Structure formats: C-alpha cells, structure tokens
Amino acid sequence: MRPPPLAGGGLPLLLVAPVSLAALSGCDRAPDPGAGRAPFPTFTDVTEAVGIRFQHDNGFDGVRYRVVETVNGGVALLDYDLDGRLDIYFTNGCKLEPGPIPPRDALYRQGPDGKFTDVAREAGVDDPLMSLGVSVADVDGDSDPDIFVTNQGRNRLYRNDGNATFTDIAPESGVAGDSMHSGSAFLDMETDGDLDLYVASYVEEKGPEYPACVVRGVPGYWPPRNYPAARHRLYENKGDGRFADVSEVSGIRNVDPPGRGLGVIAADLNDDGHQDIYVANDMTANYLFLGDGKGKFAETGLLSGAALGEGGEELGSMGVDAADYDGDQHLDLCVTNYQDQINNLYRCSGPAAYEEMARLAGISPGGLPEVSWGVGFFDFDCDGAPDLFIANGHLNPGTRLMDESTSYAQPKKLFRNAGQGRFENVTAGAGAAVGRPRVSRGAAFGDIDNDGDVDAVVVEAQGSPEVLRNDGGSSGAWCLVELRGAGRNRDGLGARVTLSAGGRTLIAERRGSGSYLSANDPRLHFGLGPARVIDRIAVRWPDGSRDMHEGLPVRRLIRITQGRREPEVVDLSQDARRP
C-alpha cells in the first residue's frame, strides 16, 4: 500500500522472473480439467435478501488521515453455535471521536431459513475499538470455535462459552497487546497438541493531527515508509489458559528491518510435517518462517524466492493464500499487492523454493490499476482445479483526481483454472456483482448455503459488505471435509487432507485464517468434476498420525475424527438454502 506515484511511477512491465522448462511446458502436472465443462457459474449479490445490514466504517472523519483507516476490514465464516450453518463475523473501524453510537463489530447468526440476524451485542462480541482482522480457532479445546480480533490497541480473544455468548479473555491470557495489530494465525508450532498464536503488526502511527499527504491538491494518506514498522509477536500456548510471548526465543524477531505486516497464513509450506508462517509485508520484504516443530523458526523469504517482486523490489503486499493450483501436491502462494505491482503467484518448485509465475499463468495481464486485498484459491465450478478470486479497491476517495489511470472503486477479479499452470480471466462472465466497482478489503470463502459450492463474503470500506452466492457451481461433483482432532487441537488446525477421485489427487490444509485479515469456512471444500466416488481420503494430523478412508460418496460432507475407524457421512441436500 502506498499513494499513487507523483510522476511516472509503475514498475517495468517486461520484467519476467526466470522459470523452469517444466513450468513452461506443463510437465509434471495433474491432468487438465477436460473438455465439456458444466455451464458457467455466476455470483449473485444476496446481501439484502439474507438480512445482512452491516455497514463498515473505516474510521475516516473527513479531516485527519490515519493510515489505519486504509487497511482495516476483515470477515470470518464460522459455526459459532454448532448448528451446521455458517455464521459471519465482521470487524469494524472506529473514529477518533466516535460519537454517541460508535461503529461496532458484528456477528450475524444464520437461521434455518438462511436469513441472518446480528447477535453481536447479546453474544458479547460487539467491539467498539478500531478492529482490523479476525481469526477463528478452538483455543481451549472444548469443541466450539473462539474468535481472535486484532485491534489498534488492545486485542480481543473471545472465548466461546457454549451458550451463545462469549467472554473476552485477552488480558488474562496475555495476548491483548498494545500496537496496530493486523493479520493473525493459530498454529501448533511445537507439536504439543495446543494452539499457539502469531500476531502481525503494521506500523507505529503517531498523532495527534494526522496531516494529509497532498498530491495534485488532493489530500490523502502518507506512504507506509513514512511510518516505522511495529514488531510482530508469537505467543506460546501454555495449556492453562495463558500465552507467553516467545517472539525473541522463537526466532521470529531475528529479521532486520522489521516488516509492516498485514496478511498472515500458517501452513506446512515445505511439506515436512511442521507448521510454517508466511507474512505479507507492506513495502518491506515478505516473511517465510520455516518451523522445526519444536517452536523455533528460520526466516527464509529471500532465499526461497517468495519475499520480493519479479524485479527484486519490495512490494505493497496485503493478502495471501496457499493452495496447489497446478496439481503437483505442493502448496503454491498467491500474494496481493498495490497498484502498478503484479499480484504474485509463487509456484512451489521444491521444498520452500518458489518461482514467480503470475504473468505466465495469466493473472496479471495488461495494466495494473488495482490495489488488491482479499484473495482466495477455491474451486468455484467444482471441476477439480482451484480457481482464484481477488478483491480490489483503492485507498482514498480522491484517487481519480490524483491519478487518472486508476479509481477508488474497482471491480473484483475471478480467474478460472485452465490447466497446465494457466488461468483465464472470467470476471466478465461471473455476474454483475463481481464486475461491479467497489472498495473492497477482506474476503472469506465458504459454502454458506450448504449446496456444495463455494460462496464469498467481501468487506467493503465505508459501505455494505457483499454476500456473493455461487449459482451453478455445484453442477460438478464435490465434497466437504470436516475434521475433528484429538486432544486440545479439536479443529485439527494444521492437518493436511489428500483426496483422490476421478484420476486426480487434491490437497488442502485446515487453517484458522487467511486471505486478507479474514477466516474461511472451517470445512475443506473439494471440487471433484465428473467423479462418481471418492477413491481415498488421507489425513495427516498435526501430531504426525494418519487416517485413511476409501470408497466414499461424492456430494456429501465427510466428517473425519482423528483415530476413528469410520468417518461420518452427512447428506446436506435437505439443508441447502436459496434465499
């Protein structure tokens, strides 16, 4: 994130990172999604129809220009009351002088009819502070999801009390903090069965006047390099309700200079069975912390090739997601960036080694007017290949007057996986809601109506969010995998699922956060194309144990409990809802 260039600006558009011959030729890839695909799905904006009345306020008061106003706005999908239906949590901003009715975070409960009701006040999660992001995990191992909200100032750790209410336990747990916190991720860093917590921080923003950065006579926000980066933190779960700050001893502070962190994911990126951490930093090199499974991390972003842009430059990175887009059973990365910077598609070419493939893959063609935030790999048409969704929006309402090449509101983009490591831009055919210009921030993805395809929820700065229903995506086969871990990690966070069906092998990992300051459906979605049966589902749990199940039906939710001989197969067809 940075203001538009004062003159000239932009990055050279002809710089292309070196790539392997195998990457260009498509060797060592899974079969393409074949011909004869199902009718093209579209997304419909059903926000009003399902009862979502939330309005996001980024905190701008029309006078002071706080950089935090440009980066807040996360959303989480979770089933907080364990009724089998996804609920939605929105973070909200806060003005310096909020007035008698300040903006508050919202928790929308989904009813049996598919309609949503805001229950945040009754549930005790209507935070009035400047909230940035959210992650979800069963922190205390009692089988219901808890909510962690990052704030400018004190964070919230909402313990789910199991009776439709939450209690903020951040202060006594030791994770309240005192900075401008942003992305966060739960993980079991030392393989002891409980969940630890990485919290990224953005910048040290000082007032009290917050003067504008004036470009062409238009007031706006100062570039991030005008602010010192705030220190990130890693908390170890002590198993008794308390967390200890292990930022120094773990190695995550052994970086210089510190990064201006935004999006965060925890995943096993080098496939060694241990959780790693990737952090998207704004105008500082991105982090790739490789974990040793004992609570220590080594920062390898530069060495891995996933820290900088295609020309070796630091980028304004925001969101991040990881998936195997090319079918080689390695997790690849997509990182969203600022205007005039390509969104990175880092293809994994070996253990923690990456090649920049965005231009060759077709996700960054032509001009680059967008500022990109929320991002998700998901199979929107259920053909067996992960597609890519990116939410866009600029920083300042006066953007167009500063730079005629861009705009404040911008359309989202949808890229369909065409196989052979390439994508095609299908935004124009994905429905008016996708192509309509909005000022987007966080985005979360999941099967909100339990009909077998993936829907999207996108936060819009200074406005209503968008609940985008996927219409027609479930014409191909699919399954949802729900994990229930043993011990204190009831979510199975960090577990890797490998599914074989119809001649394809697909992988996915269970995470508590991702995209941009957001959290996705806790159930793992797999598109299966023409497959009529799931040949095999194998689960590698965080403690290294494994379960395998064979001959399972498609178009079902498969609930796998660690160590249990048979999975539970659930038919969701009676619960599918179309408001």
Side-chain angles (χ1 to χ4, degrees):
M1 185 204 74
R2 56 179 174 80
L6 299 178
L11 299 175
L13 298 183
L14 299 179
L15 294 175
V16 179
V19 297
S20 67
L21 181 61
L24 289 171
S25 65
C27 298
D28 301 320
R29 295 289 184 275
D32 286 345
R37 279 171 154 166
F40 193 80
T42 59
F43 289 88
T44 303
D45 184 352
V46 296
T47 310
E48 183 175 351
V50 300
I52 301 292
R53 304 288 185 263
F54 177 73
Q55 291 290 308
H56 182 261
D57 185 335
N58 70 358
F60 181 52
D61 62 8
V63 178
R64 290 159 289 203
Y65 287 79
R66 298 177 295 160
V67 69
V68 68
E69 297 162 4
T70 67
V71 297
N72 64 76
V75 56
L77 301 180
L78 72 159
D79 181 8
Y80 86 95
D81 52 359
L82 304 180
D83 64 355
R85 295 181 287 269
L86 289 179
D87 312 302
I88 307 176
Y89 189 94
F90 294 102
T91 70
N92 213 339
C94 178
K95 291 179 170 59
L96 280 174
E97 299 165 3
I101 306 177
R104 292 178 178 270
D105 295 355
L107 173 62
Y108 278 87
R109 178 184 181 274
Q110 185 176 183
D113 60 354
K115 299 294 184 67
F116 288 83
T117 304
D118 186 3
V119 297
R121 185 176 295 276
E122 304 93 294
V125 295
D126 56 333
D127 192 355
L129 299 179
M130 170 62 84
S131 298
L132 281 83
V134 57
S135 56
V136 178
D138 181 7
V139 179
D140 51 4
D142 65 352
S143 299
D144 50 28
D146 309 301
I147 303 171
F148 182 70
V149 179
T150 55
N151 287 328
Q152 184 181 34
R154 199 185 78 172
N155 301 321
R156 308 288 193 184
L157 177 55
Y158 292 115
R159 183 190 64 209
N160 191 326
D161 295 327
N163 59 357
T165 66
F166 294 78
T167 301
D168 178 19
I169 59 171
E172 55 265 41
S173 296
V175 297
D178 58 0
S179 183
M180 190 191 297
H181 305 285
S182 49
S184 60
F186 286 98
L187 69 157
D188 183 0
M189 66 180 182
E190 72 277 68
T191 325
D192 64 353
D194 54 29
L195 294 176
D196 312 295
L197 175 63
Y198 186 99
V199 183
S201 297
Y202 189 47
V203 301
E204 299 290 349
E205 183 184 64
K206 304 298 182 183
E209 297 303 326
Y210 305 100
C213 173
V214 179
V215 178
R216 295 185 177 180
V218 182
Y221 298 90
W222 289 93
R225 284 191 171 130
N226 284 66
Y227 303 89
R231 290 286 184 177
H232 303 209
R233 293 182 177 179
L234 181 62
Y235 296 100
E236 178 189 0
N237 190 330
K238 306 304 290 185
D240 59 359
R242 296 177 300 114
F243 288 79
D245 189 335
V246 295
S247 307
E248 297 290 349
V249 298
S250 66
I252 69 108
R253 287 269 175 90
N254 296 337
V255 289
D256 189 32
R260 301 175 185 87
L262 288 171
V264 179
I265 59 167
D268 182 6
L269 295 173
N270 60 352
D271 199 18
D272 65 352
H274 306 312
Q275 287 288 281
D276 311 306
I277 303 167
Y278 188 92
V279 185
N281 289 319
D282 191 358
M283 298 312 294
T284 40
N286 297 334
Y287 295 154
L288 174 54
F289 292 109
L290 295 182
D292 66 356
K294 301 177 182 178
K296 305 292 184 182
F297 291 86
E299 205 291 299
T300 63
L302 291 173
L303 183 64
S304 72
L308 301 172
E310 58 184 356
E313 70 280 11
E314 295 172 339
L315 300 176
S317 297
M318 277 69 152
V320 58
D321 197 17
D324 175 21
Y325 80 87
D326 55 359
D328 63 358
Q329 283 79 69
H330 297 301
L331 289 177
D332 312 298
L333 294 163
C334 184
V335 181
T336 55
N337 295 313
Y338 189 76
Q339 176 191 350
D340 293 333
Q341 302 169 357
I342 69 169
N343 291 321
N344 299 118
L345 183 63
Y346 295 116
R347 174 187 170 267
C348 182
S349 57
Y354 295 91
E355 302 170 309
E356 167 50 54
M357 300 294 292
R359 294 194 193 278
L360 291 175
I363 71 164
S364 289
L368 301 169
E370 295 89 9
V371 179
S372 299
W373 306 84
V375 56
F377 282 111
F378 64 94
D379 189 354
F380 84 100
D381 54 359
C382 290
D383 68 349
D387 309 298
L388 185 61
F389 183 106
I390 296 174
N392 304 303
H394 225 294
L395 309 182
N396 186 53
T399 290
R400 186 71 174 180
L401 299 175
M402 294 178 173
D403 182 352
E404 296 86 354
S405 70
T406 187
S407 59
Y408 185 44
Q410 300 175 341
K412 301 163 186 65
K413 286 191 173 181
L414 180 64
F415 297 92
R416 193 180 202 180
N417 194 324
Q420 299 296 327
R422 295 190 62 83
F423 291 84
E424 54 183 343
N425 187 341
V426 295
T427 305
V434 176
R436 181 170 58 240
R438 297 291 299 273
V439 186
S440 302
R441 293 297 184 260
F445 309 94
D447 186 2
I448 296 172
D449 50 6
N450 280 346
D451 67 346
D453 52 30
V454 178
D455 313 296
V457 182
V458 184
V459 175
E460 307 295 340
Q462 296 290 74
S464 170
E466 289 179 296
V467 179
L468 303 178
R469 187 186 65 202
N470 187 330
D471 290 329
S474 59
S475 56
W478 54 270
C479 81
L480 288 168
V481 175
E482 181 180 305
L483 299 179
R484 293 187 174 178
R488 288 169 290 182
N489 185 3
R490 296 287 186 178
D491 291 326
L493 252 66
R496 176 171 293 198
V497 175
T498 304
L499 183 149
S500 299
R504 298 176 183 276
T505 299
L506 309 172
I507 65 171
E509 287 190 353
R510 176 70 171 88
R511 305 184 194 120
S513 60
S515 181
Y516 179 74
L517 310 185
S518 298
N520 297 323
D521 191 336
R523 306 165 300 180
L524 301 177
H525 177 271
F526 293 88
L528 304 177
R532 297 184 177 182
V533 67
I534 299 170
D535 300 317
R536 181 180 301 106
I537 296 179
V539 182
R540 185 185 70 194
W541 298 95
D543 63 4
S545 65
R546 297 172 185 264
D547 287 314
M548 186 173 69
H549 305 285
E550 297 181 325
L552 296 167
V554 301
R555 297 181 177 274
R556 296 291 186 272
L557 182 147
I558 311 296
R559 184 175 293 129
I560 299 175
T561 301
Q562 186 174 0
R564 184 172 295 180
R565 178 171 296 182
E566 297 294 334
E568 182 181 357
V569 179
V570 181
D571 184 355
L572 296 177
S573 62
Q574 299 304 312
D575 193 43
R577 298 170 298 281
R578 311 299 278 179

